[in-house]
């Protein structure tokens, strides 16, 4: 999820679900996003009320800490992958 | 926003904190609206309807996950909730053992058979244990809204566990109990033929509902139809006297009693909280609650047999309805005394 946000920059919850190609479900994505926000990996803001009416949407983007965690995780995976492959 | 989303949001605004509303409920409802509009504009009306159904399914899943998380957090960090959890757990263990012991002390029952009796005790011990835990574990300093929210969550969790036990565990355990008893009986030479047909307590809720439909069409059947092969074990099967006619109404009563029992945890939990909130003296509140709980148990087992025979649903749901009515009256008393402020907006 963090990788998707880092690569895309800014996404809605529903866009994350479709970008994950089935890896994320709509029932779990917002709970996970909420936990990540509590940990400071991502931040969110509510957009204005749409012109067609209805509820405003919430857009998510990674924080600097989130980007660093994602980089560190990528590096760790890169280093560990050959060891596990052996 | 469609009327259903508006109602859900209004309910959530009353029950959930602002953060949950902003971060969980609103984004999901906004997604449902947006997806629905996109599909309708593209002319895919049926696809739009399916998306709405899936969206609300996702909302239920998200709320359930969030509730589990909040419960976990509360049990870890919230003192009244932790005390209630430990009291409830202790009461659950004691009550389950107490309810299993009397039949387990029978002549033919050993350790394995006693283990099969445990699932029967679970649906009864869950509501009783939760109400004891709530009544004795909760401090009166907590706000009414928080208490009710947590009791509602505990009640839902208790109802799910009780329903799962009655749907899968209890019928299987009862069947295994009878199978073991008959096999042993046959091995000891008292029985020569083993033909087993499931009794009403060995049927899940769905199987029981199917039996009710069948009985309504074919008429009553005789209990001994499936009991004649276990005549030696009458003391174990005493719950269903030989030759008793099982009518559709009787099966309906059993069905409704089982479903009502699932909601007993919520009903008794609510009663415990409202009693503790409406009555200032803790000892008096506990005494009054024990009295109400006694009335509740009496309504379960001492109901009017004529009503039970003619209006099984009314008979089965009367204890829960009575507990809910008393809770509403006590809520009114608590609100009047300003000891309970419901639906605070933060």
């Amino acid at each position: 999820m963090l990788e998707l946000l880092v690569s895309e920059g800014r996404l809605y919850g529903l866009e994350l679900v479709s970008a994950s190609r089935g890896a994320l479900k709509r029932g779990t994505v917002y709970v996970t996003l909420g936990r990540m926000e509590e940990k400071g990996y991502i931040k969110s803001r509510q957009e204005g009320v749409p012109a067609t009416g209805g509820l405003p949407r919430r857009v998510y983007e990674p924080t600097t800490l989130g980007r660093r965690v994602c980089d560190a995780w990528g590096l760790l995976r890169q280093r560990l992958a050959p060891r596990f492959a052996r | 926003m469609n009327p259903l989303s508006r109602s859900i949001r209004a309910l959530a605004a009353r029950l959930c904190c602002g953060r949950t509303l902003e971060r969980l409920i609103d984004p999901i409802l906004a997604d449902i609206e947006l997806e629905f509009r996109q599909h309708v504009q593209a002319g895919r009306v049926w696809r739009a309807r399916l998306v709405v159904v899936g969206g609300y399914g996702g909302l239920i899943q998200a709320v359930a996950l969030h509730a589990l998380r909040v419960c976990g957090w509360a049990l870890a960090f919230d003192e009244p909730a932790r005390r209630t959890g430990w009291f409830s757990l202790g009461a659950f263990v004691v009550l389950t053992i107490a309810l299993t012991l009397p039949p387990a002390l029978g002549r033919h029952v050993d350790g394995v058979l006693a283990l099969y009796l445990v699932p029967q005790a679970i649906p009864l011990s869950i509501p009783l244990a939760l109400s004891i835990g709530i009544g004795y574990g909760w401090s009166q300093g907590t706000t009414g809204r928080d208490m009710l929210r947590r009791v509602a969550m505990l009640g839902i969790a208790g109802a799910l566990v009780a329903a799962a036990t009655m749907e899968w565990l209890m019928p299987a355990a009862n069947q295994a109990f009878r199978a073991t008893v008959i096999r042993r009986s046959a091995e000891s030479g008292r029985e020569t033929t083993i033909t087993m047909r499931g009794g009403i307590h060995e049927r899940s809720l769905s199987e029981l509902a199917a039996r009710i439909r069948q009985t309504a069409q074919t008429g009553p059947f005789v209990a001994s139809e499936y009991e004649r092969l276990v005549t030696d074990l009458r003391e174990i099967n005493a719950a269903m006297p030989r030759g008793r006619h099982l009518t559709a109404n009787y099966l309906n009563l059993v069905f409704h009693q089982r479903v009502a029992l699932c909601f007993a945890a919520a009903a008794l939990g609510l009663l415990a909280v409202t009693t503790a909130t409406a009555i200032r003296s803790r000892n008096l509140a506990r005494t009054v609650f024990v009295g109400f709980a006694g009335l509740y148990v009496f309504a379960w087992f001492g109901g009017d047999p004529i009503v039970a025979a003619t209006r099984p649903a009314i008979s089965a749901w009367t204890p829960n309805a009575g507990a809910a009515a008393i809770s509403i009256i006590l809520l009114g008393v608590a609100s009047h005394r300003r000891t309970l402020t419901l639906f605070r907006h933060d």
Side-chain angles (χ1 to χ4, degrees), chain B residues 203-226:
Chain B
R203 289 171 193 265
S204 64
L205 286 171
S206 45
E207 288 166 348
L208 200 55
R211 192 69 168 112
I212 291 166
R213 284 194 295 275
Q214 189 192 339
T215 311
Q217 285 170 0
T218 59
F221 66 98
V222 181
S224 59
E225 179 190 331
Y226 60 84

Side-chain angles (χ1 to χ4, degrees), chain A residues 15-48:
Chain A
E15 286 177 337
L16 268 167
V17 173
S18 50
S20 71
R21 290 175 190 161
L24 295 171
K25 303 286 176 205
R26 54 167 73 223
T28 53
V29 70
Y30 286 106
V31 179
T32 315
L33 283 168
R35 292 188 69 184
M36 285 169 72
E37 199 172 357
E38 279 168 18
K39 288 176 181 170
Y41 299 153
I42 59 167
K43 58 183 176 183
S44 72
R45 64 180 171 78
Q46 205 164 32
E47 292 192 329

Side-chain angles (χ1 to χ4, degrees), chain B residues 19-106:
Chain B
R19 190 178 168 82
T20 307
L21 192 69
E22 266 183 22
R23 310 286 159 114
L24 193 74
I25 311 288
D26 279 356
I28 297 176
L29 291 178
D31 284 347
I32 294 171
E33 289 283 312
L34 181 89
E35 270 198 296
F36 178 76
R37 217 178 301 130
Q38 283 173 347
H39 284 295
V40 168
Q41 279 167 2
R44 298 187 294 262
V45 179
W46 276 104
R47 175 82 186 139
R49 285 172 186 162
L50 282 175
V51 160
V52 169
V53 173
Y56 286 125
L59 179 68
I60 292 167
Q61 192 185 357
V63 170
L65 277 174
H66 180 72
L68 278 177
R69 213 181 126 232
V70 171
C71 274
W73 182 88
L75 284 176
F77 299 110
D78 189 287
E79 182 54 31
R82 191 164 52 199
R83 209 165 49 221
T84 302
W86 282 116
F87 265 103
S88 300
L89 189 66
F92 173 73
V93 172
V94 171
L95 282 167
T96 306
I97 292 171
L99 288 168
T100 310
L101 266 182
L105 291 174

